[in-house]
Amino acid sequence: MDCPRALIIGGSVGGLFAAHLLRAAGWDVAVFERSRGDLADRGASIGTQRDLFDIMRRIGVPLDPSVGVAAQLRICLDRRGAIVCEIEKPSITSAWDRIYRPLRAAFPDSCYRAGMRLEQVEQKGDRVTAIFADGARDEGDLLIAADGIYSTVRAQLMPEIQPRYAGYVAWRGVIEESELSSAEHALLYGRMSFCLPEGELVLGLGMPGRDADTRPGRRRYYWIWFRPVDLASSLPALCTDTTGKCHGTSIPPPLVRAEVVCELHDAADATLAPPFAAIVKRTPQPFPHGIFDLESPQLVFGRVALLGDAAFVARPHVGAGITKAALDAQGLVDALADTGDLDAALARYERDRREFGTSLVAWSRHLGAYLEAQLKPRAQRQGAECERRPEIVLAEYGAAGKPA
Ligand SMILES: Cc1cc2nc3c(=O)[nH]c(=O)nc-3n(C[C@H](O)[C@H](O)[C@H](O)COP(=O)(O)OP(=O)(O)OC[C@H]3O[C@@H](n4cnc5c(N)ncnc54)[C@H](O)[C@@H]3O)c2cc1C
């Protein structure tokens, strides 16, 4: 192939990692993103891992130390607010837009087409065609489906593979660092802090502030509270706004009903360590979303490859979605460079990344087993479903596999 052409569906982090690495390897690349808006508005905190730093450097958009907020220690608070467990485990928490923005800025606009919703994929011989909602078509040697957990491409190829509900929701909230009292700041900031009420888990950590600002005083504090919720009977009510419209398995923060937030505040008072309860109650617009995971039994279909969340979604306990998308992209491009043969490279990609994704999802299910089991009768729970010890939670949380 003189200059092979790749069509990349989805212009978020997974699509951009693949696009940068393929361009550097000499491919003609076109990215198609259905959204016209700024994806950076998604703004959540993200855990960072060494592989992510390495791949960003390889792409030519290195992350400097200002990328995030460091924590050296992990602590666990009991119901009264006393520290019951403490371990040293450094981590850096960044923000989604701190990764996405430089990736997007370094990618040429001429190769990035926003407002293009893929509807269908066709394959003939060695060529693959993408067909869009506006009737446009484009053709290439390879199509990369980086179109997220509800991937249109995967739905066409494997309609039976669906995201699986984990049995619990995550309530998330972000509060300005300046809104913490000095006692809360001294106890919690610069640490990853946990509280383990019966059947639930809450953790909090510092993250960059507006425009990824990491200057002290301008940062934010982020918390996430996992709570068992029945999919059929209770999740729809959480995600229903004041007009009676149900938004599915999550809801935009401004639309969460006041009484739902009141119930959360009552539960915070009743179950959380006082500093956590106080922060939850002061947080503007906390919002719930159902936790789902996803496992694909196959990643490659002729000249189509699934990548990132389109292929596998691990639960948030491993904090690895962005790094996995980057590693998928690197795995594909390195396989291409090594073999020079597209079909052989895709076969290697299928083998390596399926194994990785399968084990990451399994590990994230293990970390969430106790939470997931809360809706089961106690007598039916086994192993990790029955109990959790603070020292194990603190050691394992955020790791992509069992710590050595
Ligand atoms: C609240 C929250 C917190 C998170 N925290 C972390 C964390 O701490 N650490 C971490 O590593 N990861 C985290 N993640 C996960 C991480 O954001 C994802 O794993 C990552 O964004 C996956 O990238 P992706 O490109 O594969 O998919 P996505 O980011 O989902 O992007 C898919 C893109 O495809 C586009 N698209 C979809 N369908 C079509 C179509 N038919 N045609 C064209 N375009 C389409 C979408 O608009 C979207 O831009 C978090 C996610 C959320 C929601």
Side-chain angles (χ1 to χ4, degrees):
M1 274 183 269
D2 287 343
C3 180
R5 178 167 169 77
L7 312 175
I8 299 182
I9 311 302
S12 173
V13 286
L16 286 170
F17 280 124
H20 277 287
L21 291 169
L22 280 167
R23 264 174 64 84
W27 282 64
D28 171 24
V29 174
V31 175
F32 300 93
E33 166 58 46
R34 71 177 170 195
S35 169
R36 286 188 189 277
D38 183 2
L39 301 187
D41 289 346
R42 294 173 185 192
S45 89
I46 61 131
T48 58
Q49 276 133 12
R50 190 189 187 87
D51 287 327
L52 179 63
F53 285 81
D54 291 346
I55 295 171
M56 293 289 280
R57 197 175 305 117
R58 173 170 171 181
I59 285 172
V61 282
L63 299 175
D64 62 43
S66 73
V67 68
V69 176
Q72 296 303 323
L73 286 180
R74 293 183 175 189
I75 59 170
C76 184
L77 303 179
D78 70 8
R79 169 77 187 91
R80 292 170 300 116
I83 297 177
V84 290
C85 182
E86 176 175 324
I87 65 168
E88 195 167 330
K89 198 166 169 72
S91 59
I92 295 178
T93 302
S94 188
W96 201 89
D97 58 342
R98 186 66 183 78
I99 310 298
Y100 165 77
R101 272 192 205 283
L103 281 175
R104 177 66 189 93
F107 193 74
D109 287 343
S110 56
C111 303
Y112 190 101
R113 300 190 55 195
M116 297 294 285
R117 177 189 293 272
L118 176 97
E119 279 198 343
Q120 212 189 330
V121 176
E122 282 177 4
Q123 297 199 64
K124 211 172 200 180
D126 287 346
R127 302 292 286 171
V128 55
T129 304
I131 303 164
F132 297 91
D134 65 358
R137 300 167 77 95
D138 207 327
E139 200 181 286
D141 304 286
L142 171 66
L143 182 141
I144 295 178
D147 52 348
I149 185 169
Y150 297 106
S151 165
T152 307
V153 179
R154 191 190 67 241
Q156 183 188 328
L157 298 166
M158 295 185 293
E160 71 286 4
I161 301 302
Q162 297 287 335
R164 198 188 89 166
Y165 181 56
Y168 46 96
V169 303
W171 275 90
R172 298 181 192 254
V174 176
I175 181 169
E176 299 298 327
E177 180 183 7
S178 56
E179 296 289 316
L180 300 183
S181 71
S182 48
E184 289 161 357
H185 197 280
L187 178 67
L188 301 174
Y189 219 87
R191 294 162 164 190
M192 188 184 284
S193 311
F194 293 75
C195 184
L196 306 176
E198 176 76 20
E200 307 190 355
L201 184 154
V202 59
L203 78 97
L205 29 79
M207 68 174 283
R210 189 175 302 283
D211 297 327
D213 201 334
T214 48
R215 287 173 292 174
R218 313 270 183 108
R219 302 167 297 186
R220 289 176 170 161
Y221 191 73
Y222 169 80
W223 55 265
I224 179 165
W225 184 0
F226 296 102
R227 313 198 70 202
V229 169
D230 183 74
L231 178 63
S233 63
S234 306
L235 187 55
L238 282 184
C239 301
T240 297
D241 66 23
T242 50
T243 69
K245 179 180 173 193
C246 179
H247 294 260
T249 57
S250 64
I251 178 168
L255 301 183
V256 181
R257 282 177 296 128
E259 59 264 39
V260 173
V261 176
C262 266
E263 283 166 23
L264 186 78
H265 290 178
D266 290 346
D269 276 334
T271 62
L272 300 186
F276 267 128
I279 289 170
V280 166
K281 289 167 66 182
R282 281 208 305 283
T283 299
Q285 301 191 336
F287 68 100
H289 70 99
I291 300 297
F292 287 78
D293 59 35
L294 173 88
E295 197 176 357
S296 292
Q298 190 177 339
L299 303 186
V300 173
F301 301 80
R303 294 296 178 91
V304 174
L306 306 182
L307 177 146
D309 279 10
F312 289 95
V313 176
R315 299 184 193 177
H317 317 304
V318 291
I322 290 184
T323 304
K324 186 182 76 64
L327 286 168
D328 284 351
Q330 178 169 266
L332 179 59
V333 174
D334 285 350
L336 282 164
D338 285 353
T339 72
D341 174 89
L342 186 47
D343 292 313
L346 288 171
R348 189 166 119 193
Y349 174 77
E350 163 84 46
R351 192 179 61 243
D352 294 351
R353 301 314 297 164
R354 186 154 49 83
E355 190 181 320
F356 182 91
T358 304
S359 72
L360 189 69
V361 171
W363 178 246
S364 76
R365 287 178 179 162
H366 168 77
L367 296 184
Y370 172 82
L371 295 165
E372 181 172 359
Q374 297 305 310
L375 299 175
K376 273 192 199 175
R378 209 169 264 277
Q380 289 176 19
R381 300 181 201 164
Q382 296 176 350
E385 297 178 344
C386 299
E387 58 148 6
R388 65 227 151 148
R389 297 215 307 273
E391 63 274 23
I392 294 181
V393 174
L394 267 54
E396 291 184 343
Y397 209 92
K402 193 164 183 58

